[in-house]
Each structure stands twice: as C-alpha cells, then as structure tokens.
Amino acid sequence: MREAIRFGRNGTVREVRDVHPRTTLLDWLRLGERRTGTKEGCAEGDCGACTVALGRLVDGRVVYEPVNSCILLLGQCDGADVVAVEDIAADGALHPVQEAMVTHHGSQCGFCTPGIVMSLFTLYEEGERPVGRDAVNDALAGNLCRCTGYRPIVDAALDACATAKDRRFEAHREAAACALGEIAADGADLFMRDEGRFFAAPASEESLAALLARHPDATILAGATDVGLWITKSLMEIEKIVWLGRVASLRETRSTPETLTLGAMVSHADAHAALAAIDPDLGELMRRFGSIQVRASGTVGGNIANGSPIGDLPPALIALGAKLHLAGAKGTRTLPLEDFFLGYRQQDREPGEYVRAVEIDKLRRHDAFRCFKVTKRLDEDISAVMGAFRLHLEGRRIARARIAFGGMAATPKRAPLAEAALVGLDLDDELAWAPALDALAQDYRPMSDHRASAEYRAVVARNLLFKALAEIAGDAGLRIAPRPAGLAAE
Ligand SMILES: Cc1cc2nc3c(=O)[nH]c(=O)nc-3n(C[C@H](O)[C@H](O)[C@H](O)COP(=O)(O)OP(=O)(O)OC[C@H]3O[C@@H](n4cnc5c(N)ncnc54)[C@H](O)[C@@H]3O)c2cc1C
Ligand code: FES
Ligand code: FES
C-alpha cells in the first residue's frame, strides 16, 4: 500500500501525501507551489485558461495531452508527468510556440495566453506533421480568447508547426520517462489519508471491488470532467474518492470482426479511432465531443455511468446494440445498455458496483448507421438533441431498425414505435416514411430547458430521422457497411 500521490515534475518524482482528496491540480499548482502562470477562468472546463500538459507512459515513451487543471484532481496525476506553462522554456529561450505567439501578436490582456500556449505546446510536440488549419482549430476549440481574436493565434500555431520540430523538449521527455518508470514499477494500491477521508487508487480490479465493498458510499472517479464540477461549482464536500485510473484492465480496448469492447477508463481521445472505424459519423461525434482537453480526461465509462440524458455516447451505442459489463464484490453481470438507464439520473447500478466495459456490436453486411449531434455551437457544446440510427436492409427494404435519442426524455431512450413503423418499408418510397416520423411524437415527450424548447426538440428529432433515411436511401450503395473480414455471409 502506498500513502502518497507520486508524479513527475521536471524530471524528478514528486510525492504529495497530506492534501485534501478533492484538491485540484490547479489549486495545488497556484496555492501550493506558487506556480501562478496557470490561470483560473471558469473553473468548469470550458475556457481552457488552466490548461496544462499531462504526460503518460505509452510503450516506454511519455506522450503528452492537454488537460483542464481546474477540474482535474491532483490524485489523477499519479503516474503522470505534469508540465505547466513555466516549464516549457528551456535554457532561457522561449518554446517555439511562445516565440510565435510573440511574433504574431497573439496576446493582448494575456489571461488566456498560458492556456493557449499549453494547448499549442501539446499540438507542437505531439501533433502529426504537417499541422493544418483544421488541426489547429481543433486544438484551440477548448480555449477561449476574448480580446486578441483567433487569427493571430492560429497564424502563430501554423507558423510554429511549419518548421522541423525543435528537439529541446526531448531531454525533458526522457527524464520524465525515467521518473514515470520508477512510479509504475511499484504496482501498489494508493490510499492517501484515512478511512473517513481518502483519495484511493487501487491497482487491480480485485482491490477495487474490495475497496468499494468496504466503502460503497465513496465517489467513483474516472476523468473528473463531471465530478470536478461537483467540487468547483456545486461545492460538494466529497470526502472519499476512489479513482479508477491505475486499473490497467479498465483501459483495455479489444476488437474482433463482430465487436469492439472499450474498457470503462478508455478516454474519449483513445476511443476516437476505434469508433470512427465503425462508422465515420461516430468519428465526427467524437471530434465534436467537448474539447481536446475534455476528450483527453473524460472516459467512455464516465459518459455512461453519469446517466446524463444529454450524454453523447449512450444514444449512439444503444442504436448500435451495445452491452454493458458491470462488476463488483458479488461478481460480474451484463445487460443491454438501454436497460442501464432507469430514470432521470437513476441507473441500474448497485452500491459498490462499477462499470467495467461496454461491448459494441459492429456494423454487419447490409447495415447502415447515422448519428447527428445538434448543438447551439459547433465545437465544445453539449447536445440539445442527439439522434442515432441503425438500419438493416434486405435489398431496398428495411428489415430491422434501432433508433435512440438523447435530449428527448429523462434518459437516453429508444424509439420503439418509430422502429416498428420502419420495419418492412421500402427505402425508395419517401411518402411511406410518414408513420415512422409521426410515431416519434408518441415515443418521446421532450422537455423545455435552456438548451431548447420541447417543440424545437420534437421537430429536430423528426428531421433527424428523415435526414438519416434520406441519406441512407440516397447513397445506400456507398455507406452500407462492408462485410468485416472473417464474418460469415448472412
Ligand atoms: C467543458 C465540458 C464539455 C463537455 N462536453 C460534452 C459533450 O460534448 N458530450 C457529452 O456527452 N458530455 C460532455 N461533457 C460531460 C463529460 O465530459 C462526459 O460525460 C464524460 O464522459 C464524463 O466522464 P468522466 O470520465 O470525466 O467521468 P467522471 O466525472 O469521473 O464521473 C462521472 C460520473 O460517473 C461515475 N463513474 C465514472 N466512471 C465510472 C465507472 N467506471 N463505474 C461507475 N461509475 C462511474 C462517477 O462516480 C460520476 O458519478 C462535457 C463536460 C465538460 C466539463
Ligand atoms: S478555468 Fe476555465 S477551463 Fe479551467
Ligand atoms: S488575450 Fe485577452 S482573453 Fe485572450
């Protein structure tokens, strides 16, 4: 058992043992270390002023991602290398992205600047060359600048990334790899403080199940892109935290010709490519999920377990026919994902149970899939309505249909009446689609809230089903999934 959080700082291993379990990385940096370069703007993951880079060992190399330090708990840095804005200039010389920000006048009041520099730093150090405008825009989608405007910032990014990569940071990366290797070698469970108030990070599922059985009231922590806001915005007094980040089996991804299984702790960034390979619409959904910082921290399991009616993955995965794997001290069980959601923020999860993995049924021959996210802003916005559709076709006839929506009910929910109305329809007979479109009004009674009115949601849902049918009818030959290798013909 280890009683201190251990992480990398400038090539050394830092140990912290007596902080409150809910201390954020930002507070530790600013208040504890007096490293005040990193700023607090919104304290809810939206503005990016607090961005730092977090590096983790991947096949012996430290790979850095940008994270929002305002909602990331210090304990989540265990086993990672923390790089703040003060750490990237080397030997008195600015990092190339800092140089470019100066040259292109990318800063006025400067409040956003440290966060923008850190987002560009990870793009520079990790982005695939050549770095184009789309990649820069994606890298900056989680960073708000209110006064400079983005043109000079984007120019600075393009300019800095246009030349061959400066190798100065590699010395830091190598020193960090040694430090993180030393931390990884201990393989111990982390338990900081005492039974009444702790930050714990079990190193195996066995220890995790035992700890949750002993403390069923503890808060399970994954990426903290929700839980972090309970602390910074709702000021919740969370005393017992069990972080899943040290359990390697929860980070596993397994792919067969028929299924993709994502461990609960697979981050949205890491799930992106595997989901995009099932269908490009899933790739675009993930690209628009939060910001690059949110995707680096947030997890597939957290997006399901939080039970939000407007979470993006659940409707898509329900339409695909995913199964959820749960585990706890009493053993494991599996259920269709839609059955997990019982009511508003009520899930079929016993105290002490945790989400282990989600198993996604890939598209087969003659399957077509579409999903659409409707938001007020294109990037970094939560859905007002999210619709997902999977059709199985026999020739031009719809043989099976699965439809799921987010934002239309108290939970992510299927549309049984619309699904039934679609079965047997001819894709080319547009007039015959009307009963299925009408059935959505019986399947859902949406709410009005600050994102959208009930009427708007109802119209949008109807239009999204129409769009899915029209797209599939229009290019059925192009986007019907090819048969995966090794799968028997139906
Ligand atoms: C700026 C911002 C933008 C966002 N944009 C989007 C968006 O576009 N789309 C979207 O859907 N969401 C969005 N979110 C919400 C959030 O990022 C996601 O829901 C995310 O997937 C939550 O995952 P997490 O790992 O951070 O969960 P956490 O915050 O760690 O946990 C969330 C909840 O799930 C529980 N939990 C987590 N993992 C498990 C597990 N394995 N077993 C049991 N319980 C568990 C926790 O106890 C907690 O109740 C956004 C959030 C922010 C701050
Ligand atoms: S302070 Fe705004 S994202 Fe962290
Ligand atoms: S320079 Fe002022 S907010 Fe960006």
Side-chain angles (χ1 to χ4, degrees):
M1 181 79 73
R2 169 147 68 75
E3 291 175 2
I5 300 165
R6 301 183 81 202
F7 53 92
R9 281 290 287 149
N10 293 313
T12 60
V13 175
R14 280 299 299 269
E15 286 203 358
V16 179
R17 59 182 67 237
D18 205 23
V19 291
H20 195 289
R22 59 172 189 270
T23 304
T24 61
L25 172 58
L26 180 66
D27 280 352
W28 182 79
L29 280 172
R30 289 182 60 85
L31 307 175
E33 298 289 282
R34 306 305 298 158
R35 290 297 196 177
T36 51
T38 308
K39 304 296 180 210
E40 180 178 72
C42 63
E44 59 181 56
D46 267 315
C47 76
C50 64
T51 303
V52 302
L54 212 61
R56 292 196 187 273
L57 270 180
V58 182
D59 300 330
R61 185 170 185 272
V62 185
V63 177
Y64 290 88
E65 290 180 295
V67 295
N68 295 124
S69 65
C70 64
I71 51 172
L72 190 100
L73 302 195
L74 182 64
Q76 292 175 262
C77 298
D78 193 80
D81 187 48
V82 177
V83 178
V85 70
E86 292 92 344
D87 308 324
I88 64 171
D91 306 326
L94 294 179
H95 187 274
V97 296
Q98 292 174 307
E99 282 283 3
M101 283 285 280
V102 173
T103 308
H104 288 270
H105 306 286
S107 175
Q108 285 188 42
C109 81
F111 200 78
C112 69
T113 307
I116 285 187
V117 162
M118 291 313 290
S119 288
L120 297 184
F121 162 78
T122 50
L123 177 71
Y124 180 93
E125 297 294 341
E126 304 293 352
E128 265 177 41
R129 296 295 207 271
V131 172
R133 190 170 287 272
D134 286 348
V136 171
N137 289 345
D138 251 359
L140 291 174
N143 290 85
L144 263 184
C145 178
R146 291 286 168 94
C147 52
T148 298
Y150 289 88
R151 192 196 46 76
I153 298 173
V154 171
D155 286 350
L158 289 170
D159 194 12
C161 296
T163 49
K165 211 180 270 185
D166 176 301
R167 304 270 311 157
R168 273 178 302 166
F169 187 70
E170 290 311 302
H172 179 119
R173 199 193 290 270
E174 279 161 27
C178 293
L180 299 193
E182 187 188 322
I183 301 170
D186 79 14
D189 294 337
L190 163 65
F191 192 90
M192 187 186 64
R193 296 192 73 148
D194 54 53
E195 294 287 315
R197 174 186 286 181
F198 59 78
F199 185 97
S204 68
E205 286 199 61
E206 234 180 351
S207 309
L208 170 65
L211 183 65
L212 289 175
R214 204 162 78 235
H215 292 282
D217 57 331
T219 297
I220 295 179
L221 184 73
T225 58
D226 281 326
V227 173
L229 277 71
W230 305 353
I231 294 167
T232 59
K233 293 287 140 171
S234 308
L235 308 182
M236 270 172 69
E237 297 289 333
I238 303 174
E239 303 284 324
K240 299 177 177 181
I241 296 177
V242 178
W243 181 50
L244 309 181
R246 300 194 73 231
V247 185
S249 56
L250 298 182
R251 287 191 187 276
E252 280 171 10
T253 296
R254 277 193 312 280
S255 183
T256 70
E258 293 89 8
T259 60
L260 170 70
T261 303
L262 297 173
M265 283 301 287
V266 174
S267 70
H268 299 308
D270 289 343
H272 189 158
L275 288 170
I278 294 179
D279 189 273
D281 273 11
L282 285 171
E284 179 59 4
L285 180 72
M286 295 314 285
R287 193 196 66 75
R288 288 182 54 205
F289 193 117
S291 59
I292 203 160
Q293 292 95 324
V294 169
R295 295 195 291 276
S297 297
T299 64
V300 169
N303 199 228
I304 293 169
N306 74 5
S308 166
I310 48 172
D312 282 332
L313 272 178
L317 301 185
I318 289 172
L320 283 167
K323 290 187 207 132
L324 193 66
H325 296 282
L326 294 149
K330 289 186 201 152
T332 58
R333 66 190 174 104
T334 300
L335 69 165
L337 180 56
E338 58 265 41
D339 294 351
F340 181 64
F341 302 104
L342 303 176
Y344 182 67
R345 298 270 180 191
Q346 252 193 307
Q347 288 83 249
D348 180 3
R349 189 169 68 79
E350 299 289 326
E353 235 180 359
Y354 59 93
V355 172
R356 199 166 179 270
V358 63
E359 183 183 330
I360 301 158
D361 191 32
K362 290 185 182 172
L363 299 180
R364 312 294 162 94
R365 196 179 183 202
H366 303 309
D367 280 351
F369 179 82
R370 291 292 186 280
C371 71
F372 308 112
K373 167 169 174 165
V374 178
T375 53
K376 287 189 179 170
R377 236 180 10 217
L378 185 69
D379 283 316
E380 211 190 356
D381 204 0
I382 309 259
S383 299
V385 178
M386 149 73 206
F389 314 89
R390 177 179 186 161
L391 303 184
H392 180 74
L393 304 177
E394 283 170 359
R396 303 293 288 164
R397 202 182 70 88
I398 300 172
R400 291 193 294 277
R402 286 180 71 93
I403 299 174
F405 274 96
M408 292 292 290
T411 62
K413 185 179 172 299
R414 280 179 75 177
L417 298 176
E419 288 174 0
L422 283 178
V423 174
L425 288 192
D426 182 347
L427 260 188
D428 298 318
D429 184 3
E430 191 183 308
L431 294 179
W433 301 349
L437 300 172
D438 292 344
L440 288 176
Q442 269 77 55
D443 281 321
Y444 299 107
R445 293 265 179 279
M447 272 180 30
S448 292
D449 63 16
H450 63 284
R451 285 184 215 288
S453 67
E455 295 75 23
Y456 175 81
R457 288 187 152 111
V459 171
V460 165
R462 189 185 166 93
N463 290 350
L464 292 186
L465 175 56
F466 185 87
K467 180 177 159 81
L469 290 170
E471 283 193 13
I472 293 167
D475 68 358
L478 294 176
R479 284 274 306 273
I480 304 280
R483 191 167 88 231
L487 203 71
E490 290 162 59

